[in-house]
Amino acid sequence: MLTEGMGLRERKKIQTRRRLLAEAARLFGERGFDQVSVAEIAEAADVSKMTVFNYFDSKEDLVLAPMEEHIGDVAQVVRDRVHGESAVAGVRRHFLAAVENRDPSVGMSDSPVALGLLQLIQQTPALLTRARAFFARSDELLVDVLVEEGEDRAVARIVAAQLIGTRNALISENHRRLLAGESAEAIASGAAALAGRAFDLLENGLGDFATRA
Amino acid sequence: MLTEGMGLRERKKIQTRRRLLAEAARLFGERGFDQVSVAEIAEAADVSKMTVFNYFDSKEDLVLAPMEEHIGDVAQVVRDRVHGESAVAGVRRHFLAAVENRDPSVGMSDSPVALGLLQLIQQTPALLTRARAFFARSDELLVDVLVEEGEDRAVARIVAAQLIGTRNALISENHRRLLAGESAEAIASGAAALAGRAFDLLENGLGDFATRA
DNA sequence: GCAAATATTTGCCTTAGTATAAGTTTCATC
DNA sequence: GATGAAACTTATACTAAGGCAAATATTTGC
């Protein structure tokens, strides 16, 4: 975060925000989400409780704020896809590149901090719930892009659900492996293979998948 | 709900539960979810606040309890599908039958009560959130069925996400039309056509859907 | 330095949800 | 039909999230 050209007020706000996020992460990491009150976080960051809610709409946001930035990623990728490229192809390309780059937003970071966050989220119902809301929002944003391009909204919702659902399942699988102790390095090739399979299913259809013998 | 053969205790419990649901629906309908406290509902139903939480785990459950019964529907349908039928075909068949039967669980009831509930849910973030949790649970249950049949879990998660996502998008579209004032009768044929399109996309793939010109 | 804008604090309030212990009702069994 | 156990409800008191209003402090542009 560049701070040049900012007034004192802006710089302080950024600092306070960072301090709140850091103290929250520390306390949550030590004791778990539900065992830390907002008041404690406020105290640790040396501000009042009200100020915490001034910076973050809810206690959950103290954990999930970083995720929030990526809500529009898929919609953006589809909007920016190259000529001749389908929606699925665009998402596939972007996802594979993210895996290649060990992008934390697709569950490819095995840093202690990222792992700690992941664990916290998985263990805390309130956070899981909130994370799901982000998926729902991603979906809406993608629908809007498709509608802008002239697709029927009802069809767009179906396609978006399939695309976002597939992508989330892939990310979630990466998370599972990270939490099982695998390194990002170890996960990478498997993740790419699985993604290939997943996007193939999307593009060519489930067909007679799981047909009862 | 048959009450024969039940003791007084069981009958009273059922009555209390119904009274709580009815009073909650009435009050929520009159003033909105957030403008009614649990204490008020308890008073209206002539029980203590604690008793409300004895019957329902949370305030949201007072609205969503009826939905909860259908969480396992898709998983059950897939588990029970006939020989030679694929997972998609099974879900398609069941969904189309539900539309035909104006089943409320797929958004095909235009009764005032159902409409009121729908509206309440759409307008209340906490309820929307909770409803999404049900979808997530549906998904997990479906994954379990596929895994039991021998599918790889990672692949099962991808397929389940596509199936459940598609179905939810269809239901959600029905909800949209209901809230726009259309009758279940009027929605039926369109819903069937859209469902056909949606499951075709699932079965045969998105292919070059939304390929940029 | 001063006034306007903006951030922060303080204190208070409502409400969901939990824990506990003490009452009350139902039921099975004799 | 009395009785004791089990199930259910209640009152009470508590915690914590979150929202609100008015007072206070800080930064800004001038």
Side-chain angles (χ1 to χ4, degrees):
Chain A
M1 187 77 79
L2 267 308
T3 53
E4 291 178 58
M6 290 181 176
L8 173 58
R9 180 168 284 169
E10 270 174 287
R11 269 178 287 134
K12 270 197 165 179
K13 282 188 83 163
I14 289 169
Q15 277 174 13
T16 300
R17 188 188 165 84
R18 290 167 65 98
R19 210 165 59 245
L20 281 170
L21 285 172
E23 292 300 322
R26 184 176 61 78
L27 290 167
F28 289 151
E30 284 171 15
R31 282 188 280 148
F33 187 77
D34 293 322
Q35 278 65 55
V36 178
S37 74
V38 173
E40 283 178 280
I41 296 164
E43 197 180 0
D46 226 18
V47 295
S48 76
K49 193 186 80 167
M50 252 313 265
T51 299
V52 177
F53 286 109
N54 240 352
Y55 279 81
F56 300 92
D57 286 343
S58 70
K59 185 180 173 183
E60 286 93 42
D61 285 348
L62 283 164
V63 177
L64 298 174
M67 270 186 64
E68 206 159 3
E69 298 164 24
H70 294 282
I71 283 184
D73 282 6
V74 178
Q76 197 57 45
V77 163
V78 170
R79 179 174 269 129
D80 296 346
R81 70 194 185 282
V82 297
H83 284 277
E85 190 173 49
S86 71
V88 183
V91 175
R92 181 203 292 254
R93 178 177 45 75
H94 181 260
F95 184 84
L96 287 174
V99 167
E100 191 72 28
N101 296 331
R102 312 286 187 267
D103 189 325
S105 71
V106 296
M108 289 300 297
S109 165
D110 53 10
S111 77
V113 175
L115 273 179
L117 272 186
L118 259 188
Q119 234 164 341
L120 196 62
I121 293 171
Q122 302 284 335
Q123 288 168 2
T124 312
L127 292 174
L128 265 181
T129 288
R130 206 60 196 293
R132 264 186 237 117
F134 289 165
F135 299 152
R137 186 80 191 111
S138 287
D139 197 89
E140 289 170 16
L141 292 172
L142 177 55
V143 169
D144 288 341
V145 169
L146 294 172
V147 169
E148 277 168 32
E149 293 186 1
E151 301 292 343
D152 175 73
R153 182 170 289 270
V155 176
R157 288 169 76 166
I158 289 156
V159 171
Q162 295 180 6
L163 257 174
I164 298 279
T166 300
R167 203 182 111 106
N168 286 344
L170 289 170
I171 293 172
S172 168
E173 173 68 10
N174 288 344
H175 287 167
R176 191 189 60 74
R177 296 180 68 178
L178 280 176
L179 289 174
E182 296 187 54
S183 72
E185 216 52 54
I187 293 172
S189 76
L194 183 63
R197 176 88 199 275
F199 286 109
D200 284 348
L201 282 170
L202 249 193
E203 235 163 15
N204 307 319
L206 299 181
D208 56 4
F209 180 88
T211 294
R212 171 147 282 178
Chain B
M1 187 77 79
L2 267 308
T3 53
E4 290 178 59
M6 289 180 175
L8 175 57
R9 181 173 283 167
E10 268 175 288
R11 271 179 284 135
K12 270 196 168 179
K13 282 188 81 166
I14 288 170
Q15 277 174 11
T16 300
R17 188 188 166 85
R18 290 168 65 98
R19 211 165 58 245
L20 281 170
L21 285 172
E23 292 300 323
R26 184 177 62 77
L27 290 168
F28 289 151
E30 283 170 16
R31 283 188 279 149
F33 188 78
D34 293 322
Q35 278 64 54
V36 177
S37 73
V38 174
E40 284 178 279
I41 295 165
E43 197 180 359
D46 227 21
V47 295
S48 77
K49 195 184 81 167
M50 260 308 280
T51 299
V52 177
F53 286 110
N54 238 353
Y55 279 79
F56 299 93
D57 287 343
S58 71
K59 186 180 173 184
E60 287 94 45
D61 284 348
L62 282 163
V63 177
L64 299 174
M67 272 186 61
E68 206 160 4
E69 299 166 23
H70 294 281
I71 284 184
D73 282 6
V74 177
Q76 197 57 45
V77 164
V78 170
R79 181 175 268 129
D80 296 346
R81 72 193 184 284
V82 297
H83 283 278
E85 192 174 49
S86 72
V88 183
V91 175
R92 182 204 291 254
R93 177 177 46 75
H94 181 261
F95 184 84
L96 287 174
V99 167
E100 191 70 29
N101 296 332
R102 311 286 186 267
D103 190 326
S105 71
V106 295
M108 288 300 297
S109 165
D110 53 10
S111 78
V113 175
L115 274 178
L117 274 186
L118 260 187
Q119 234 165 339
L120 196 63
I121 293 170
Q122 302 285 335
Q123 288 168 2
T124 312
L127 292 175
L128 266 181
T129 289
R130 206 60 198 293
R132 263 186 237 116
F134 288 166
F135 299 151
R137 187 78 192 111
S138 287
D139 198 87
E140 288 170 16
L141 292 172
L142 177 55
V143 169
D144 288 341
V145 169
L146 293 172
V147 169
E148 278 169 32
E149 294 187 2
E151 301 292 343
D152 175 74
R153 182 169 288 271
V155 176
R157 289 170 76 164
I158 288 156
V159 171
Q162 294 180 7
L163 256 174
I164 297 279
T166 300
R167 202 183 112 104
N168 286 343
L170 289 170
I171 293 172
S172 167
E173 173 67 9
N174 288 345
H175 287 167
R176 192 189 60 73
R177 297 180 68 179
L178 282 176
L179 289 175
E182 296 186 54
S183 72
E185 218 48 57
I187 293 172
S189 76
L194 182 63
R197 176 88 198 275
F199 287 108
D200 283 348
L201 282 169
L202 249 194
E203 233 162 17
N204 308 318
L206 299 181
D208 56 3
F209 179 89
T211 295
R212 171 147 280 176

